[in-house]
């Protein structure tokens, strides 16, 4: 079986803003999900995978960029089933994913359950060479790699974290962080569908009052680049409730 060399990622950057330690993954092209999906992609390609299929990405999602970058790096393809938009109305993330080489199959009336079903049907046509990813790119290996990266932060950066925050929809990130910090309070701000208990894990759940596609108001944006429909929605809540010395994981920009 062929072995692939892991991708060499830059070290994560942590800055302190308003008393909060911020993981600045907006500085990584394609965002944190690239780090988290890398081992999964490599190991599946080593087993014979040639194409990765995903039907759970909204227009504002990072997965098409992250997954495409890592799949293409190892010579594989990434195919996405997404709600149809006119080409002059694509979100900037969709445009960037296409630039990276994503194969986006546009689905008319593409509600989430429809795009997921299209992706499943496509995967079932060739399960030997294709791999179907779950919402949030959720996989045990992904959560383990979140854990392994996060658990070194206090020692590598010589900081004491009081508690841990992130946003969540599928809950993949927060559950990985819960594994990394078993003795700390972990908070998750829900910004998508109503999170199931298994997605929340043991996190303290907060809910953004904004709709999923709504952007954060300018005055509520954090003092660093952050996705206005996603990560940035945690900042107003953190300003009001987070303890000094909290850690916030900013996935992208």
């Amino acid at each position: 079986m062929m072995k692939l060399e892991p991708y060499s990622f830059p070290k994560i950057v942590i800055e302190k803003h308003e008393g909060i330690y911020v993981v600045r993954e907006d500085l990584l092209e394609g965002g944190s999900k690239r780090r988290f999906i890398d081992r999964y992609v490599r190991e599946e390609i080593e087993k014979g995978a040639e194409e990765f299929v995903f039907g759970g990405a909204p227009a504002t999602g990072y997965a098409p960029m992250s997954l495409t970058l890592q799949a293409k790096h190892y010579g594989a393809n990434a195919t996405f089933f997404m709600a149809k938009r006119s080409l002059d109305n694509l979100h900037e993330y969709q445009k960037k994913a296409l630039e990276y080489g994503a194969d986006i199959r546009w689905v008319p009336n593409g509600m989430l359950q429809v795009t997921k079903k299209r992706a499943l049907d496509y995967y079932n046509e060739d399960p030997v060479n294709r791999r179907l990813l779950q919402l949030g790119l959720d996989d045990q290996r992904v959560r383990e790699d979140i854990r392994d990266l996060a658990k070194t932060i206090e020692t590598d950066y010589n900081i004491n974290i009081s508690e841990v925050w992130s946003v969540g929809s599928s809950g993949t990130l927060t559950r990985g962080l819960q594994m990394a910090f078993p003795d700390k309070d972990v908070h998750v701000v829900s910004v998508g569908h109503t999170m199931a208990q298994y997605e929340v894990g043991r996190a303290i759940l907060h809910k953004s009052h904004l709709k999923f596609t709504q952007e954060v108001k300018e005055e509520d944006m954090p003092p660093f680049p952050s996705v206005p429909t996603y990560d940035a929605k945690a900042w107003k809540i953190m300003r009001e409730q987070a303890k000094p010395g909290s850690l916030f994981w900013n996935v992208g920009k």
Side-chain angles (χ1 to χ4, degrees), residues 150-207:
K151 70 190 300 184
T152 65
I153 287 176
E154 287 187 301
T155 53
D156 287 359
Y157 294 84
N158 193 29
I159 59 177
N160 292 314
I161 298 167
S162 60
E163 59 186 17
V164 181
W165 289 72
S166 69
V167 299
S169 182
S170 68
T172 305
L173 176 57
T174 187
R175 283 178 282 134
L177 293 173
Q178 290 166 38
M179 294 163 64
F181 300 102
D183 301 322
K184 298 186 188 296
D185 285 340
V186 177
H187 299 253
V188 63
V189 178
S190 173
V191 296
H193 68 282
T194 300
M195 295 176 70
Q197 188 56 54
Y198 82 90
E199 295 172 322
V200 176
R202 65 173 179 87
I204 299 165
L205 177 64
H206 308 263
K207 295 183 179 180

Side-chain angles (χ1 to χ4, degrees), residues 13-248:
V13 174
I14 297 180
E15 296 177 349
K16 201 169 189 180
H17 292 273
E18 302 179 23
I20 295 168
Y21 295 108
V22 179
V23 180
R24 291 285 311 277
E25 286 288 81
D26 54 281
L27 297 172
L28 176 66
E29 185 176 14
S32 272
K33 290 176 190 269
R34 285 186 64 192
R35 298 186 196 268
F36 304 155
I37 200 67
D38 186 65
R39 176 163 69 104
Y40 172 93
V41 168
R42 280 189 288 108
E43 290 183 353
E44 293 306 315
I45 291 174
E46 289 170 352
K47 296 174 185 177
E50 298 176 355
E51 183 178 8
F52 295 88
V53 182
F54 189 51
T60 56
Y62 250 73
M65 293 186 291
S66 304
L67 180 57
T68 299
L69 282 168
Q70 293 316 105
K72 291 293 182 180
H73 174 75
Y74 298 111
N77 296 318
T79 301
F80 304 89
F81 290 82
M82 303 184 74
K84 186 176 182 179
R85 284 188 167 202
S86 62
L87 294 180
D88 59 356
N89 191 38
L90 297 183
H91 190 275
E92 62 180 293
Y93 297 167
Q94 294 175 311
K95 293 177 182 178
K96 185 62 71 172
L98 289 169
E99 289 177 16
Y100 291 153
D103 180 359
I104 300 180
R105 311 290 178 91
W106 302 109
V107 181
N109 302 314
M111 300 294 288
L112 177 60
Q113 294 306 316
V114 177
T115 56
K116 286 174 59 181
K117 180 61 164 57
R118 292 288 185 89
L120 175 62
D121 292 345
Y122 182 72
Y123 159 75
N124 283 331
E125 292 173 2
D126 187 4
V128 173
N129 295 305
R130 294 172 181 161
R131 298 294 183 272
L132 180 69
L133 288 116
Q134 303 304 308
L135 281 178
L137 307 183
D138 194 16
D139 182 87
Q140 181 65 24
R141 286 164 288 186
V142 172
R143 297 191 299 274
E144 289 173 353
D145 286 357
I146 294 170
R147 174 201 64 194
D148 292 347
L149 178 62
K151 70 190 300 184
T152 65
I153 287 176
E154 287 187 301
T155 53
D156 287 359
Y157 294 84
N158 193 29
I159 59 177
N160 292 314
I161 298 167
S162 60
E163 59 186 17
V164 181
W165 289 72
S166 69
V167 299
S169 182
S170 68
T172 305
L173 176 57
T174 187
R175 283 178 282 134
L177 293 173
Q178 290 166 38
M179 294 163 64
F181 300 102
D183 301 322
K184 298 186 188 296
D185 285 340
V186 177
H187 299 253
V188 63
V189 178
S190 173
V191 296
H193 68 282
T194 300
M195 295 176 70
Q197 188 56 54
Y198 82 90
E199 295 172 322
V200 176
R202 65 173 179 87
I204 299 165
L205 177 64
H206 308 263
K207 295 183 179 180
S208 171
H209 70 280
L210 298 172
K211 293 181 180 179
F212 181 61
T213 55
Q214 275 186 287
E215 295 189 357
V216 170
K217 293 180 179 178
E218 187 64 33
E219 60 265 29
D220 294 328
M221 283 291 291
F224 48 85
S226 187
V227 181
T229 56
Y230 202 71
D231 299 282
K233 289 178 178 175
W235 198 249
K236 183 177 188 293
I237 297 172
M238 292 186 68
R239 278 176 168 153
E240 298 168 351
Q241 301 187 38
K243 295 178 181 178
S246 294
L247 180 79
F248 174 58

